[in-house]
Amino acid sequence: MLKKFIGCLVGVAVGDALGSLYEGLSSLEFKFEEPKFLRWTDDAHMTIGVAESLIEKRGFDGDHMARTFLKNYEDEPWRGYAYGPPAIFRMIRSGVKWEKAAKTLFNGEGSYGNGGAMRVAPIGLFYHDNPKALREVAEAASGITHAHELGREGAVMQAYAVSLALRSGYKSELDPNDFLDKLIEFTENEIYREKLEMAKRLLDEKSKLRIVSELGNGIEAYNSVPTAIYSSLKGGFEESVCYAIGLGGDTDTIGAMTGAISGARYGIDAIPERWRDKLERGKYIEKLAEKLFFIKVKGE
Ligand code: F2R
Ligand code: MG
Ligand code: MG
């Protein structure tokens, strides 16, 4: 279980860093090259913030998590954040309550971007044994920046996928149909239900263009979370993450979310050493995963 916690968070950072090298390309242009160094972006940066806050507060505290995001962003604003989160951080800095800020974006609709889902892996780990709490906390934590139902449900589905992968037997088979059925049963949103049902029908599909056209590869949560869940079923850690990135589009985020699920399923030993050795702040990320594990599983 400890190796799975570590695999999940390192998986986010590796998938993000690898994917960031191909962001915006189409699946036809993808040709994988080994990187010299793995520098991650906002996806891993915010995942670290979620983990730091869960550890410090020994569970979810919205005010503390919002302040942790703000501090990390102000320390390193160059990590490739999209429009929404920095706009929210500026509002919070100027005194707007964190519970209100996200509801003002996009003409009051809130964001349906994948920023809530890309960072949710530590919540999937921490609440893996309690689906009700997992849903509540994933919704609340993504709601700090993503008020739109589709943004929050994306975070819930990604967190639940991480929890199912974590709970699957180490190195044992996880049945793809069963995994997708559990996710379909858990979702409360029709768009995610339809996409996950489509993912099930496409399990044997060979054409990446078809996968992109049916599941998406975009910055919207509903066009990337089902794609990452699907990609995580494409083999071991390396195959799944390379498959996800090879779909093109929002490659760092789809890579990060696939890496989270596959890392939780297979554990840290399945992540190639040649990637782990080059990962920016890899030891710190491993330490966060260890702390989450010892607080959660050992009650320390
Ligand atoms: N920002 C990026 N990629 C751009 C290039 C970065 C470049 N390489 C660099 O280094 O600078 N990636 C990161 O952003 C994504 C996560 O975004 P998040 O946090 O969800 O942001 P936001 O702004 O809330 O939503 C993203 C966009 O989606 C559209 N959108 C969302 N809700 C909408 C609504 N209700 N109505 C209309 N449009 C909506 C907007 O275009 C948002 O800006 C990840 O890919 C991460 O890697
Ligand atoms: Mg990014
Ligand atoms: Mg991205």
Side-chain angles (χ1 to χ4, degrees), residues 212-240:
V212 171
S213 97
E214 299 286 2
L215 302 183
N217 65 358
I219 202 168
E220 305 82 10
Y222 52 90
N223 280 329
S224 49
V225 173
T227 316
I229 289 169
Y230 177 83
S231 298
S232 77
L233 297 169
K234 286 289 162 182
F237 182 89
E238 182 170 347
E239 292 92 336
S240 296

Side-chain angles (χ1 to χ4, degrees), residues 25 33 78 93 130 147 186 189 201 216 225 239 245 259 272 286 289:
L25 291 183
E33 280 175 34
W78 43 265
R93 170 62 70 219
N130 185 342
F186 196 64
N189 180 278
R201 289 197 288 280
V225 173
E239 292 92 336
I245 295 170
E286 288 190 20

Side-chain angles (χ1 to χ4, degrees), residues 150-205:
L150 290 170
R152 287 184 287 117
E153 185 68 6
V156 171
M157 296 318 291
Q158 171 65 13
Y160 192 54
V162 164
S163 77
L164 292 176
L166 183 79
R167 278 156 36 195
S168 69
Y170 186 55
K171 283 190 177 164
S172 76
E173 285 304 309
L174 171 153
D175 179 65
N177 279 297
D178 184 46
F179 177 64
L180 290 169
D181 278 341
K182 287 193 170 110
L183 287 156
I184 290 164
E185 210 176 291
F186 196 64
T187 189
E188 293 181 356
N189 180 278
E190 205 45 47
I191 292 179
Y192 286 93
R193 183 169 299 114
E194 280 169 15
K195 288 244 176 175
L196 291 163
E197 275 165 359
M198 179 58 77
K200 234 181 113 178
R201 289 197 288 280
L202 292 174
L203 275 173
D204 295 323
E205 177 61 51

